[in-house]
Amino acid sequence: MGPHPAVAAIRLAVRRVLHDLLTDHHTSSEQHPHERPPTRPLVLVACSGGADSMALASALAFEAPKLGLRAGGITVDHGLQPGSDLRAEEVVLRLRELGLDPVESTAVSVGREGGPEAAARDARYAALDAAAERHGALAVLLGHTRDDQAETVLLGLARGSGIRSLSGMAAVSGADGRYRRPFLELDRQTARKACMVQSLPVWDDPHNADPAYTRSRLRHEGLPALEKALGKGVVEALARTAQLSRDDADALDAWARQAEASVRDAAGLLECAKLYALPPAVRRRILRQAAIEAGAPAGSLFARHIEEVDRLITGWRGQGAINLPGKVVAQRQGGRLVIRQG
């Protein structure tokens, strides 16, 4: 008799990602034969001890050796609750029991920038990046599920910042595709069920139920209310929206990159008349990129900033320079748009 359907589902999802990783790895090894590592490649799992990441760790431990890969784990102690260091040590023991090696816990200090959730996320990814570099890992697997994706899409919708924010989390992201999310098409319930039938102990982070956190309120109040009003398929539909939005955003980004050269004059300045002729979605992407290249921090550059700059082209009434984050200034000068440090 085969494994329980939930266990089979998580293992298949991980196997697919590991196959992709091996394909990419073999291709790069052929291009750089002298860089081939002497040991079997390592794949790390980021594990909080929650159901999603414990299920992911168990599937990685099962699948990696069959493909000639080593499986390791890392847990990040954010230090946001009393006893979080003990919790991290417990997760390390559980990962070792699954057969993962190397396994480590890393403590981070969470700043305040961008709110508590963003600050914790920034600290976590910095720690995961450092661990991946230190161990020379091929990839770091993350346990985000389809439910997480639906929440991310709704948060993006509430921000009102365009289709890129509706495209949710990518299955592959980070430097050189370091981060992989095998569970984006599986629901949270499948991961929890897989832990249950394998008798894996699971820890429920109290932050996930804390109404002080936006995502927590969305999870416990927002999505259930939407499902009640619109039916059970909401999570699946939102995840599908993410994928379609991602494809659209990628296409528009590519179009903007190609169009950018055609709207610059011989001196490299942006020509307002040529920008005006482009579709707004393409033009605004070019303006955003120009602002970032001039030194505006991407995370502080909002849709309203770009709309103001856009009005220098579409609603020209002789208005003065526009101040952007990072001390960047945008102004119109004789049919040209100049974006530079002020």
Side-chain angles (χ1 to χ4, degrees), residues 58-201:
S58 72
L60 178 65
F62 183 82
E63 294 291 341
K66 299 200 295 186
L67 293 169
L69 291 163
R70 289 183 301 138
I74 177 161
T75 187
V76 178
D77 171 15
H78 297 85
L80 295 174
Q81 298 152 341
S84 62
D85 52 338
L86 300 174
R87 168 70 49 205
E89 287 310 317
E90 210 174 302
V91 174
V92 165
L93 289 174
R94 287 178 190 174
L95 294 177
R96 287 202 176 117
E97 280 165 14
L98 285 170
L100 270 60
D101 180 46
V103 173
E104 66 178 53
S105 159
T106 181
V108 296
S109 58
V110 175
R112 286 198 157 67
E113 201 163 328
E117 290 156 289
R121 188 175 59 244
D122 290 347
R124 181 165 60 251
Y125 279 105
L128 293 175
D129 277 336
E133 300 279 352
R134 199 164 53 247
H135 292 289
L138 210 52
V140 180
L141 305 190
L142 303 172
H144 297 118
T145 63
R146 192 168 68 188
D147 300 73
D148 294 307
Q149 185 72 300
E151 291 160 13
T152 304
V153 172
L154 281 175
L155 289 167
L157 186 62
R159 275 200 306 273
S161 49
I163 59 168
R164 180 55 76 189
S165 71
L166 294 188
S167 62
M169 295 175 282
V172 178
S173 65
D176 299 324
R178 167 175 289 156
Y179 293 108
R180 308 281 169 137
R181 297 177 174 86
F183 289 177
L184 277 187
E185 289 177 25
L186 294 180
D187 60 22
R188 197 172 280 147
Q189 208 46 49
T190 302
R192 195 165 278 280
K193 189 79 177 165
C195 288
M196 222 168 68
V197 300
Q198 294 180 103
S199 304
L200 291 175

Side-chain angles (χ1 to χ4, degrees), residues 18 21-22 25-26 29 36-44 64-65 67-72 101 135-139:
L18 295 182
L21 279 169
L22 278 172
H25 177 62
H26 289 321
S29 296
R36 189 169 297 161
T39 52
R40 289 177 304 149
L42 169 71
V43 177
L44 292 171
L67 293 169
L69 291 163
R70 289 183 301 138
D101 180 46
H135 292 289
L138 210 52

Side-chain angles (χ1 to χ4, degrees), residues 276-336:
Y276 187 85
L278 290 172
V282 177
R283 180 174 64 243
R284 286 177 185 161
R285 277 169 165 75
I286 292 172
L287 298 179
R288 179 182 164 78
Q289 194 51 44
I292 290 168
E293 282 169 12
S300 310
L301 207 53
F302 301 124
R304 59 185 168 81
H305 293 129
I306 303 307
E307 279 163 22
E308 267 193 87
V309 177
D310 198 33
R311 276 197 290 276
L312 294 176
I313 294 152
T314 60
W316 179 238
R317 303 278 182 280
Q319 57 266 50
I322 288 160
N323 294 315
L324 298 172
K327 296 191 174 67
V328 170
V329 172
Q331 60 190 136
R332 184 164 169 149
Q333 292 176 342
R336 304 285 183 272

Side-chain angles (χ1 to χ4, degrees), residues 8-27:
I10 63 166
R11 286 177 179 174
L12 176 61
V14 167
R15 196 181 318 141
R16 283 178 173 151
V17 166
L18 295 182
H19 272 298
D20 289 347
L21 279 169
L22 278 172
T23 306
D24 295 349
H25 177 62
H26 289 321
T27 307

